[in-house]
Amino acid sequence: MERQLEYEKGPQTDDEPTAASATDGRDDAPANGLRSVRGLPWRAGLLFGLGSFLLTYGVTLQAVAATASLYGTGEGGPGAWVSAGLVTLSNHGVSIAGDVTTEGGAPLPLEISTALSSSTYVSHFVPLLALAAAGYGLVRYTERTTVRGAVGAAVTIVPSYLAGMVALAVLTRYTYDPAETAGMTGGGDEVVTFAAPLGETVLLAGLVVPTTLAVVGGLLAIWPRPLDRLLGERERERDPDPDATPGE
């Protein structure tokens, strides 16, 4: 009976698609790509990105507050949280510009320029360490073992970090008014609004810097494994049969 069924069904040829390969066709490529995007650790990435942003801003805020207490501030100057926001953006390569109508612009107020120059020595390395550590930790947490998986996981850190940087650029603005500000120097005689350009913030602080540093951290998390595989292949090429005895 079984032989009769096999005879009626006939042998399976290579031209007939199997159940496993039937869904691997060309029409299913977009769905596979969509599944690969959905397979990224978005929740963990958003948390790691938010944590790295809060760590970056928090350490910078402490550095700016220490600088302000050391050098002193005038009445009516920018708050420490505003200066910390501008310093954080500056540490990502964003220029702090004054919106003025007079030719030649206006210099930064003393409090902001002091914060940018003094606290930079400490806080300039904070984004580098925070983002690289976030990429490293996320890849290790999600147990990614390939370069593609590590890069994909590291990129999920960017959206929440970008949102934090855009919020800083929008909220941390300071308007210098010489008529209302006492004890400050270096602001000029014009009313000036000091802020970070939004486009520059999105490009540098929100995309280029976090993506680069997070990917570097993610690749460092898997670096020993590709290196071990490479060394293992070279050992096998040098000694293809380590169990063989000499003279065989």
Side-chain angles (χ1 to χ4, degrees), residues 84-100:
L86 296 177
V87 171
T88 300
L89 294 168
S90 177
N91 289 339
H92 288 75
V94 180
S95 60
I96 307 302
D99 183 13
V100 292

Side-chain angles (χ1 to χ4, degrees), residues 25-36:
R26 186 175 179 181
D27 295 337
D28 196 43
N32 287 335
L34 182 59
R35 281 197 296 269
S36 64

Side-chain angles (χ1 to χ4, degrees), residues 96-100 102-109 176 186-192 194:
I96 307 302
D99 183 13
V100 292
T102 57
E103 295 183 0
L108 287 170
Y176 170 81
D189 298 328
E190 300 289 335
V191 177
V192 186
F194 295 95

Side-chain angles (χ1 to χ4, degrees), residues 166-211:
V166 171
L168 277 186
V170 173
L171 297 176
T172 55
R173 296 169 173 264
Y174 173 69
T175 300
Y176 170 81
D177 189 350
E180 299 179 359
T181 306
M184 293 186 63
T185 59
D189 298 328
E190 300 289 335
V191 177
V192 186
T193 299
F194 295 95
L198 188 58
E200 213 173 302
T201 299
V202 172
L203 178 62
L204 294 177
L207 294 176
V208 175
V209 173
T211 301

Side-chain angles (χ1 to χ4, degrees), residues 95-161:
S95 60
I96 307 302
D99 183 13
V100 292
T101 57
T102 57
E103 295 183 0
L108 287 170
L110 181 61
E111 276 73 3
I112 299 179
S113 61
T114 301
L116 288 173
S117 60
S118 301
S119 60
T120 296
Y121 296 111
V122 177
S123 62
H124 193 74
F125 298 99
V126 176
L128 189 152
L129 297 176
L131 287 167
Y136 182 92
L138 180 60
V139 171
R140 299 285 293 187
Y141 173 75
T142 56
E143 299 180 347
R144 306 282 164 155
T145 58
T146 64
V147 173
R148 182 178 180 181
V151 172
V155 169
T156 60
I157 294 174
V158 175
S160 56
Y161 199 87

